[in-house]
Amino acid sequence: MPTIDWSCQQRYLGKTFSCSCGRAHTLGLREIVYADDALERLPDVCGNHVKGKRVVVIADARTWQAAGRRAFEALQKENWPVEFHIVADDESGSPVCDQATRERLAAELAPADWLLAVGSGVINDLTKWTAFDGGIPYAVVATAASMNGYAAANVATCIEGVKGLFFARPPFAIFAQPRIIRDAPFALTAAGFGDQMAKPVSIADWILNHVLFDEYLCPTVCDLITEGQNQDMSHPEGIRAREPRALEALFASLVLSGIAMTLVGSSAPASGGEHLLSHTLDMMAPVYHRPHDLHGRQVGLGCIFAAALYEKIVRIDRPSWQPPPP
């Protein structure tokens, strides 16, 4: 497998630019470090982007062992005033991103100039949400190629049982160590692959909404998503075998997907009808007192149904247009 090209991610870091779509796009993410010494580089990289040095490392019990302790020690070694906070599991056996957890986290945190998330979906979103509400920046140490929210400005949360997204700010830096990504539980990697599988469907939904309902569409961002797909989907069997280049390609495309969402201020480039199926399963789980699966694995399932629906759509020679439901 060829060397992974990170140039499509790097070209937008920390920039505001005018786009052919007629809008100006801004990316607050400034640096991506995917390297064997990513954790050791934390103090130097973060020192270039934050004004104060007081930092709280936020992790759960598993991500603290995977990378949190080493991140904490790397900052401590350089005399940064650093604290840590372990987010407790709920009855499901893992933390959740909801309003109650976010409020509890904010109340318990030590004073900080910035926050460092160590984890993937829930930990990243909780830290992003808390940092945004507190008006301080945050960075993230990724512990799995499991989702596309690392570079995204939006937060996926559950408020009073209803899944939703709201806009916050992306991290100023993303750190990832290849060994940690490789050694993550494979169910998490499969979830990341399921999330990326859906991108042709989400782009098709976005284009269809543009054609039918005049929804805003950015061709530049569509091309970005396609670039990521061309890398990670060209060697899917390597992901199953945990090959370093295949996992790097998956992680790079997940980051690019998050960048795409941040650039347009919407989840539309990376989230279509297949994601709605996953969110519905999440909301149904407590109603029927049954657990739900990982988001990306449910998205992969939704992608199969959405692709079957598109097969029916493309076979329609003469569509009969009807007004949308109220």
Side-chain angles (χ1 to χ4, degrees):
M1 187 175 181
T3 300
I4 304 306
D5 181 8
W6 284 85
S7 62
C8 46
Q9 288 86 347
Q10 300 286 346
R11 76 173 75 116
Y12 298 110
L13 295 182
K15 293 181 180 178
T16 296
F17 63 97
S18 296
C19 182
S20 61
C21 72
R23 293 188 181 184
H25 300 312
T26 298
L27 184 64
L29 175 64
R30 300 171 194 166
E31 198 146 353
I32 303 168
V33 181
Y34 189 90
D36 292 332
D37 62 347
L39 298 183
E40 288 71 25
R41 290 167 62 181
L42 270 167
D44 287 342
V45 172
C46 293
N48 293 329
H49 300 297
V50 295
K51 294 181 180 179
K53 286 195 169 184
R54 294 180 306 167
V55 54
V56 177
V57 176
I58 299 174
D60 65 25
R62 290 154 295 281
T63 63
W64 174 254
Q65 295 299 325
R69 186 186 299 277
R70 288 176 54 214
F72 176 87
E73 291 172 349
L75 292 163
Q76 193 178 53
K77 183 179 178 182
E78 297 301 319
N79 298 315
W80 288 60
V82 55
E83 304 281 347
F84 69 89
H85 184 95
I86 306 299
V87 180
D89 295 343
D90 76 348
E91 59 272 12
S92 70
S94 61
V96 295
C97 183
D98 60 15
Q99 191 165 6
T101 306
R102 201 279 311 165
E103 290 173 355
R104 187 165 55 252
L105 176 62
E108 294 172 353
L109 285 185
D113 298 307
W114 62 284
L115 302 177
L116 179 65
V118 180
S120 55
V122 168
I123 294 299
N124 181 58
D125 277 347
L126 280 173
T127 307
K128 184 186 307 180
W129 192 357
T130 305
F132 181 72
D133 281 356
I136 59 175
Y138 95 101
V140 59
V141 175
T143 55
S146 58
M147 53 96 208
N148 60 13
Y150 290 119
N154 51 282
V155 172
T157 184
C158 186
I159 298 178
E160 296 183 357
V162 179
K163 293 288 292 188
L165 292 175
F166 72 85
F167 204 70
R169 277 191 303 269
F172 63 82
I174 298 171
F175 300 86
Q177 189 175 39
R179 179 186 61 79
I180 293 173
I181 299 300
R182 181 200 67 203
D183 292 343
F186 191 72
L188 294 175
T189 305
F193 182 73
D195 208 333
Q196 283 306 102
M197 263 182 61
K199 297 305 166 274
V201 176
S202 60
I203 288 294
D205 282 2
W206 198 20
I207 294 171
L208 200 59
N209 282 338
H210 173 69
V211 172
L212 297 180
F213 308 118
D214 200 29
E215 181 179 323
Y216 161 71
L217 179 74
C218 178
T220 299
V221 168
C222 288
D223 290 344
L224 275 182
I225 294 291
T226 302
E227 283 190 68
Q229 281 276 304
N230 288 343
Q231 289 204 47
D232 72 329
M233 291 302 172
S234 65
H235 194 51
E237 65 276 10
I239 295 172
R240 182 179 58 194
R242 299 180 188 255
E243 293 177 9
R245 288 300 183 194
L247 292 175
E248 182 181 354
L250 175 61
F251 186 80
S253 65
L254 288 165
V255 171
L256 190 59
S257 179
I259 288 173
M261 291 190 286
T262 298
L263 289 176
V264 299
S266 163
S267 63
S271 174
E274 76 294 329
H275 272 66
L276 295 179
L277 186 144
S278 179
H279 295 324
T280 300
L281 291 173
D282 290 349
M283 291 186 286
M284 289 172 62
V287 174
Y288 293 97
H289 306 288
R290 301 188 66 176
H292 60 77
D293 206 329
L294 294 169
H295 170 69
R297 284 155 58 104
Q298 294 178 167
V299 166
L301 178 65
C303 182
I304 295 171
F305 287 106
L309 180 60
Y310 268 108
E311 284 186 345
K312 292 186 176 182
I313 291 173
V314 297
R315 287 199 296 265
I316 300 173
D317 290 329
R318 297 182 181 180
S320 175
W321 302 110
Q322 304 291 330

